[in-house]
């Protein structure tokens, strides 16, 4: 999403390098962090990109404790983080 109204192209935090969505695959963990606000102009939904070798199984969401079907899109809402344990 764009910077807030009234700011220049370099962003409102003084740097052009702020990301709205971060994703990391580290060992047995897949992490997605949506930094957009829930109730403002920048609110966006992102899909966590599941590595190909894991798309036919389930993972445990370590925040909610629920099983997540990785063959379906994993959606990360605004202001949310998903930490999936992919297991061995």
């Amino acid at each position: 999403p764009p910077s807030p109204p009234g700011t220049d192209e370099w962003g409102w935090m003084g740097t052009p390098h702020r990301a709205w969505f971060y994703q990391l695959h580290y060992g047995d963990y897949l992490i997605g962090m949506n930094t957009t606000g829930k109730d403002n102009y920048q609110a966006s939904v992102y899909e966590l990109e599941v590595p190909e070798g894991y798309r036919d199984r389930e993972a445990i969401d370590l925040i909610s404790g629920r099983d997540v079907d990785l063959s379906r899109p994993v959606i990360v809402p605004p202001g949310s983080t998903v930490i999936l344990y992919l297991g061995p």
Side-chain angles (χ1 to χ4, degrees), residues 3 6 9 19 21 23-24 36-37 39 45 47 50 54 63 71 74 76:
S3 298
E9 65 183 74
F21 183 70
Q23 177 171 320
L24 173 68
T36 64
D39 297 320
V45 174
E47 182 177 338
V50 177
Y54 296 95
I63 295 174
S71 67
V74 180
V76 185

Side-chain angles (χ1 to χ4, degrees), residues 13-30:
M13 298 203 54
T15 177
H17 304 293
R18 179 171 183 237
W20 300 111
F21 183 70
Y22 295 90
Q23 177 171 320
L24 173 68
H25 181 198
Y26 182 75
D28 290 335
Y29 301 92
L30 184 59

Side-chain angles (χ1 to χ4, degrees), residues 1-83:
S3 298
T7 59
D8 63 23
E9 65 183 74
W10 293 105
W12 60 284
M13 298 203 54
T15 177
H17 304 293
R18 179 171 183 237
W20 300 111
F21 183 70
Y22 295 90
Q23 177 171 320
L24 173 68
H25 181 198
Y26 182 75
D28 290 335
Y29 301 92
L30 184 59
I31 303 165
M33 184 172 67
N34 184 341
T35 66
T36 64
K38 292 181 181 182
D39 297 320
N40 61 26
Y41 79 98
Q42 69 187 30
S44 297
V45 174
Y46 291 94
E47 182 177 338
L48 190 62
E49 187 177 319
V50 177
E52 192 169 326
Y54 296 95
R55 293 182 189 154
D56 61 344
R57 59 164 98 174
E58 288 189 342
I60 298 172
D61 181 341
L62 296 179
I63 295 174
S64 70
R66 297 180 187 163
D67 289 333
V68 176
D69 182 358
L70 299 179
S71 67
R72 303 182 64 166
V74 180
I75 303 301
V76 185
S80 299
T81 298
V82 174
I83 302 173

